[in-house]
Amino acid sequence: MLLLAFDTATPAVTAALHDGERVLAESTVIDARRHGELLVPAVDRVLTSAGRALADVTGIVVGVGPGPYTGLRVGLVTAASFGDALDVPVHGVCTLDGLAWAAGEAGIDGPFTVATDARRKEVYWACYDGPAVRVTEPAVNRAADLPQDVLALPAVGAGAALYPESFTDRRPEPAHQSAGSLAALAAHRLAAGEAFAAALPLYLRRPDAQVPAGYKAVLPT
Amino acid sequence: MADEPLVLGIETSCDETGVGIVRGHTLLADAIASSVDEHARYGGVVPEVASRAHLEAMVPTIQRALKQAGVSARDLDGIAVTAGPGLAGALLVGVSAAKAYAYALGKPLYGVNHLASHICVDQLEHGALPEPTMALLVSGGHSSLLLAPDITGDVRPLGATIDDAAGEAFDKVARVLGLGFPGGPAIDRHAREGDPAAIAFPRGLTGGRDPQYDFSFSGLKTAVARWVEARRRDGQDVPIADVAASFQEAVVDVLTRKAIRACKDNGVDHLMIGGGVAANSRLRSLALERCEGAGIRLRVPRPGLCTDNGAMVAALGSEMVARGRAASTFDLPADSSLPVTEVSVPGHTHEHTHDHVHEAGRENLYG
Ligand SMILES: [Zn+2]
């Protein structure tokens, strides 16, 4: 097994290779504005440093968000294109699940919350019972509007760090999304024979689109 | 000829997901998925709606094009993609897909300019472009007069709109008349029943001291709106066919007059017209009439190749390969404000010379 994993749903542009046992190589760059420019070079870097060819890859793992749309789409269209060109399966994994798995690797267990930055003063969030068990659907809300029992849980992710007045039990690790953790979670699911979600974007918001309020006259009325 | 470059082209600068495949000057496939119906109720293209549609349509459209052309992706000599100008988020979907396919298949990647592609597509219809080529590009996003001594490396802007694009004016006037979006085809249809001389609408920037090759359609649009509103205010019927015909005549009169002037001034004996507005029947007939009168040969591709499509990108990509032009690097950015003078983008290895515009265009790349 050779999994190529990447995620562009957060400010991190992260790519990794995983052989089913361990992470062979990982590249993570934090640059919220250049996902499209950095992703393929990052993939090239991990392949080169692991001494493997893209043709050896047996599956693609991609973070499906939730995340700000423009960056999120870079990862998803890249995954779909690799999947088609290489004729390998594409496994979609919720970006928050990848962070939860990384939280487990950092030593967190029991119930906790993952929150990332959704901009517009909101967070993308979900609750977990251990690193591999998500117990709520991913959602987008203002941090202050989350239930008190959710806010009281240990919390990881940039969304928690942004709203310290709401998330009162913040944990520093993981600070960013890691494709290595995402790949490790996918390898765990593959080994357990679990099914993957389709690699479709979790936008969680409708597109911003104003229907023009009728035709605006130019003559003074 | 089998040894001509086989290139796949991807176009996602606006609301059409286009994938074309050409071999040299021969069109093998032209697959398109459009999100235009989803934008109609908003009266214009909504960038986020377009980007979401591009993501859904991208891989299926590529598969359809390969099947249509009857070629394997392995046989391609290169993959070309619109790197700009256009909607930032929309461009990024096509650029990312092109990179992934090029990288996975081990093919050179060519990030090319949308405007140069609009010109180059005519090679699929009328053979090799003369050098230099004079081109009038008119669509909802652009209205330019371009002189292209070399379509793969030297495209010079002679003039452009100083306010609205020609296609935008069609959309806005269609809205005034209640004809829906997109406005071009509706105006064209109604104008056929109307009198183009019924109302004397203004011709922008045609005074003796005005810039010779620039366009302005904002004043015309406002004049039409005023005329229509005044009629309505007086309780009179609006003669939609006459308004459409008179407005359309004002637009195509200025476009063709300036294009022919540019040909004469620059000693070019033919004119290429491209872009969505080139599908307008009155523009095509008036251009033909005036070109014949001036001894200029007119080249206009069939309407399906005038609007945004992947074949035009493939056509330019194929020409790039044929002429041994440099490929792009894999850090190629999508540049929403790519200047027309940059026919292709070699990638970030060479820093851009228009960073100020570039940064502004990049603002909405995330989120
Ligand atoms: Zn166009």
Side-chain angles (χ1 to χ4, degrees):
Chain A
M1 184 195 302
L2 187 64
L3 298 176
L4 169 64
F6 44 83
D7 189 309
T8 58
T10 71
V13 182
T14 179
L17 270 186
H18 195 286
D19 68 358
E21 300 289 322
R22 63 190 184 91
V23 176
L24 304 181
E26 172 162 348
S27 163
T28 300
V29 179
I30 312 300
D31 189 339
R33 290 186 172 186
R34 298 207 303 147
H35 290 108
E37 292 158 52
L38 299 174
L39 181 58
V40 170
V43 167
D44 188 55
R45 225 162 24 244
V46 298
L47 285 165
T48 305
S49 77
R52 305 296 287 266
L54 190 58
D56 302 336
V57 167
T58 59
I60 308 288
V61 178
V62 63
V64 299
Y69 324 136
T70 305
L72 172 62
R73 276 189 288 266
V74 169
L76 287 170
V77 77
T78 302
S81 302
F82 277 159
D84 181 43
L86 302 169
D87 197 20
V88 296
V90 178
H91 308 299
V93 176
C94 171
T95 293
L96 302 175
D97 291 0
L99 280 157
W101 186 263
E105 290 171 335
I108 297 182
D109 208 351
F112 66 95
T113 302
V114 175
T116 59
D117 181 12
R119 306 211 158 176
R120 302 181 205 171
K121 302 196 171 109
E122 292 184 322
V123 295
Y124 297 117
W125 66 279
C127 289
Y128 292 81
D129 191 4
V133 183
R134 176 154 45 76
V135 293
T136 66
E137 285 304 307
V140 60
N141 295 98
R142 282 175 174 257
D145 295 344
L146 263 54
Q148 276 312 312
D149 55 331
V150 168
L151 292 172
L153 294 173
V156 301
L162 270 172
Y163 303 100
E165 67 288 353
S166 297
F167 294 96
T168 49
D169 185 8
R170 292 174 313 282
R171 306 297 167 90
E173 295 292 330
H176 292 290
Q177 178 69 313
S178 145
S181 302
L182 197 74
L185 169 60
H188 168 83
R189 285 187 184 167
L190 282 169
E194 287 177 38
F196 287 85
L200 299 174
L202 281 178
Y203 290 123
L204 303 192
R205 287 184 183 128
R206 302 176 70 81
D208 289 323
Q210 296 298 317
V211 179
Y215 158 68
K216 195 161 150 281
V218 294
L219 285 182
T221 45
Chain B
M1 277 191 296
D3 57 350
E4 287 180 306
L6 179 68
V7 172
L8 179 144
I10 298 175
E11 151 65 32
T12 63
S13 68
C14 193
D15 60 339
E16 320 273 4
T17 312
V19 180
I21 298 175
V22 310
R23 191 189 291 284
H25 296 168
T26 309
L27 177 64
L28 302 183
D30 185 18
I32 288 219
S34 177
S35 60
V36 67
D37 293 344
E38 296 173 56
H39 304 289
R41 68 195 182 102
Y42 301 112
V45 174
V46 180
E48 177 58 22
V49 171
S51 297
R52 290 185 181 194
H54 284 311
L55 174 59
E56 278 177 40
M58 194 72 259
V59 170
T61 309
I62 288 174
Q63 289 171 335
R64 200 147 49 86
L66 286 165
K67 200 168 164 198
Q68 220 175 74
V71 300
S72 158
R74 311 253 150 226
D75 300 333
L76 296 170
D77 295 305
I79 293 179
V81 63
T82 303
L87 302 170
L91 287 167
L92 193 54
V93 175
V95 168
S96 299
K99 282 183 192 180
Y101 276 96
Y103 183 76
L105 298 165
K107 308 294 182 189
L109 169 75
Y110 296 89
V112 299
N113 192 298
H114 180 82
L115 299 180
S117 301
H118 264 307
I119 301 174
C120 202
V121 74
D122 196 49
Q123 297 204 137
L124 306 178
E125 196 88 314
H126 300 109
L129 285 168
E131 294 186 328
T133 281
M134 182 67 70
L136 170 68
L137 291 191
V138 272
S139 76
H142 23 263
S143 303
S144 323
L145 264 171
L146 303 167
L147 183 64
D150 171 359
I151 196 60
T152 65
D154 186 4
V155 175
R156 303 170 192 176
L158 297 183
T161 181
I162 60 164
D163 40 57
D164 294 350
E168 239 180 308
F170 273 88
D171 286 339
K172 287 175 179 170
V173 166
R175 195 181 304 161
V176 171
L177 295 174
L179 302 179
F181 173 86
I187 299 259
D188 196 349
R189 213 165 40 244
H190 284 275
R192 272 172 220 163
E193 315 296 322
D195 175 7
I199 309 150
F201 287 129
R203 268 65 168 162
L205 294 186
T206 50
R209 291 183 175 185
D210 288 329
Q212 284 181 356
Y213 307 134
D214 283 339
F215 304 104
S216 167
F217 299 108
S218 177
L220 169 61
K221 168 197 73 188
T222 308
V224 175
R226 281 176 176 275
W227 194 93
V228 169
E229 285 170 29
R231 289 284 285 219
R232 283 187 184 134
R233 198 166 56 184
D234 297 347
Q236 293 176 276
D237 277 349
V238 175
I240 288 180
D242 283 348
V243 173
S246 299
F247 156 75
Q248 176 175 278
E249 195 67 14
V251 175
V252 305
D253 176 28
V254 176
L255 289 174
T256 52
R257 210 191 298 177
K258 293 202 174 207
I260 283 169
R261 176 76 186 261
C263 285
K264 285 183 174 165
D265 291 354
N266 290 275
V268 177
D269 63 359
H270 62 273
L271 171 68
M272 187 271 160
I273 305 184
V277 178
N280 180 275
S281 64
R282 181 58 185 151
L283 175 60
R284 295 170 90 96
S285 66
L286 186 61
L288 189 62
E289 185 187 313
R290 288 185 171 173
C291 278
E292 274 172 1
I296 292 168
R297 198 182 141 217
L298 180 66
R299 293 174 60 127
V300 194
R302 79 191 90 132
L305 292 179
C306 287
T307 46
D308 293 349
N309 62 79
M312 67 190 213
V313 183
L316 180 52
S318 178
E319 196 62 36
M320 303 270 300
V321 176
R323 297 196 187 198
R325 299 287 175 219
S328 305
T329 50
F330 282 106
D331 56 356
L332 170 74
D335 187 342
S336 59
S337 53
L338 187 69
V340 64
T341 48
E342 291 190 29
V343 174
S344 68
V345 184
H348 252 184
T349 320
H350 311 280
E351 259 314 308
H352 275 235
T353 49
H354 61 283
D355 273 342
H356 52 292
V357 195
H358 193 89
E359 289 306 324
R362 222 193 250 160
E363 280 300 299
N364 51 357
L365 265 186
Y366 185 75

